[in-house]
Amino acid sequence: LSAALQTLTEQMDVSGAVCIAGFPPEQVSYRNLQLPFTGKKKIGQVLPFELEPMLPYPIDDLITDFHTIQKSDGGNLTDVIAMSVEKDAFAGYLAALKSHGLDPNIVSIGGFPTIHFLNSLADMPENWLLADLGDDRCTLFLVVSGEIRLVRPFPIPRSADSKAQSLFGIIRQTLTAFSENLPDDVQFEKILLTGSGLTRFAEEDRLALETMLEIPVKQSEISQHLDGRVRFSAEKAAPSAAVDHALTLALAQIEGRNGLNLRKGPFATRKNWAEHRQNLITLGGFALVILVLFFINIFIDVSTTERRLENLDRQIHQVFRSTFPDIQRIVDPHHQMEVALNEIKQTAFMPGDTENPVRIIDVLNDISQRIPDTVDVELTRLVIDNETVLVSGNTDNFNAVDDIQSRLEDSPLFTKVTISSTNRDQNENRIRFKMKVDL
């Protein structure tokens, strides 16, 4: 690892780069468990105690994480794949990275981002296997009904005459051991190969393994499914399946799909504020500019509002002066207008004190409404006081006088209508009349 990192840092500048790492899967202990909880928080709290009798190490010397297996039947039981790593091995791994200026915030487990990515592709079958090949090891991932159900690492002897034969034995052994946890009718439809060990896994090995298993065996070719999410230098060809894990780690970071992370407990990342000093200064500068603009905006809004209020005050004074020209001194136009309007309302009623005041305009309106346009009548005098209305006028005949009396008597405003006098005007050939109307 140190030699590879030395080569990397010599060929490119890694300062300021985001580092995501995958811990070697062969250094991880995997256990399938069923727990009576459904919440991830509770599972994380109970998991170390459940694993303790199953592992050959003290639980305090391990870092644990888990993958939840989603089940269609629901229920209160949760199937998980627990993963444990020795703290000493993990500390050495981080130290090797930090010695070359790399401090990853996320350390997943090699192969998991790859299996998640491949399993999300639309053309993948429900049941399939992924074989992650290394120099002298192989990690198998079993996918059943679209869910990752088993992870197992195995050594591959370097002296093996046939890599295909060795891999065939590993796969057959794994399926046999796990058969009691699989549905009876499950049939694996495909095996994909990935990992750095593919450079030493020849085409004839792949064909031989396909013949022995009677299942299609293909390389993963993740670079063919990137859809432009990761770009490569123009002078370099698309990478081979040997770097699938690096590609899927990058994709998980880009798309925010970080699941497993061994950086917890004593290895949890701690922010170095000095490292982000320049970013904080820049952010503070932007915040100051925004704050200044905010106060400028408030000042402009207040000034605009004050000018609008001044314009409204001028308009109110103009309306007040045009409505009440007799009032010269304006102190509180709203209150003064209310007082003036109340005085006007008082003059609209009959003079004198009464419990049910009648407005003069209502009397005039009622008389006007009750005498139809077809009646030839001219009212020449109208005297209204607190109790009576004296009406004088002329019409064309005596019947019209009686009709007017009858109509006015139907009014709810009047209690009695009396014809005081009627006589014919010889000069104008009109009937002059006087009436007394009691309110």
Side-chain angles (χ1 to χ4, degrees), residues 185-223:
D185 57 346
V186 65
Q187 295 291 329
F188 291 96
E189 304 173 45
K190 181 188 292 187
I191 295 179
L192 292 183
L193 304 177
T194 187
S196 59
L198 279 176
T199 56
R200 285 173 290 280
F201 197 80
E203 177 65 13
E204 55 267 23
D205 292 323
R206 185 190 67 79
L207 295 174
L209 181 62
E210 190 173 73
T211 301
M212 286 184 280
L213 290 172
E214 299 180 352
I215 303 174
V217 178
K218 307 292 182 182
Q219 290 192 15
S220 57
E221 297 181 345
I222 285 178
S223 60

Side-chain angles (χ1 to χ4, degrees), residues 22-23 25 28 30 66-68 81-83 108-119 130 132 139-141 148 150-152 245 248-249 252 257 259-260:
F23 191 76
V28 181
Y30 304 90
F66 63 94
H67 166 73
T68 304
I81 300 175
M83 290 148 279
S108 183
I109 294 177
F112 261 89
T114 303
I115 187 72
H116 279 294
F117 177 83
L118 291 171
N119 202 38
L130 176 68
D132 177 16
T139 303
L140 281 182
F141 296 83
I148 304 170
L150 183 72
V151 184
R152 287 292 184 271
H245 298 338
T248 52
L249 277 169
R257 293 186 289 103
L260 298 174

Side-chain angles (χ1 to χ4, degrees), residues 298-337:
I298 291 178
F299 176 76
I300 294 174
D301 286 346
V302 171
S303 301
T304 304
T305 303
E306 288 179 349
R307 286 196 296 270
R308 290 179 60 193
L309 289 175
E310 290 176 359
N311 291 332
L312 290 174
D313 286 340
R314 284 195 294 269
Q315 294 177 21
I316 291 173
H317 282 72
Q318 291 174 359
V319 172
F320 187 90
R321 288 193 179 96
S322 62
T323 307
F324 305 101
D326 297 336
I327 302 177
Q328 298 298 322
R329 186 168 180 269
I330 303 175
V331 180
D332 185 353
H334 180 265
H335 177 69
Q336 290 176 275
M337 188 175 291

Side-chain angles (χ1 to χ4, degrees), residues 274-287:
E275 178 185 348
H276 303 287
R277 180 180 177 183
Q278 186 58 44
N279 292 336
L280 291 175
I281 293 174
T282 304
L283 182 62
F286 279 118

Side-chain angles (χ1 to χ4, degrees), residues 150-170:
L150 183 72
V151 184
R152 287 292 184 271
F154 296 92
I156 299 179
R158 287 180 177 269
S159 59
D161 295 334
S162 171
K163 290 186 178 295
Q165 185 67 42
S166 298
L167 191 55
F168 169 71
I170 289 171

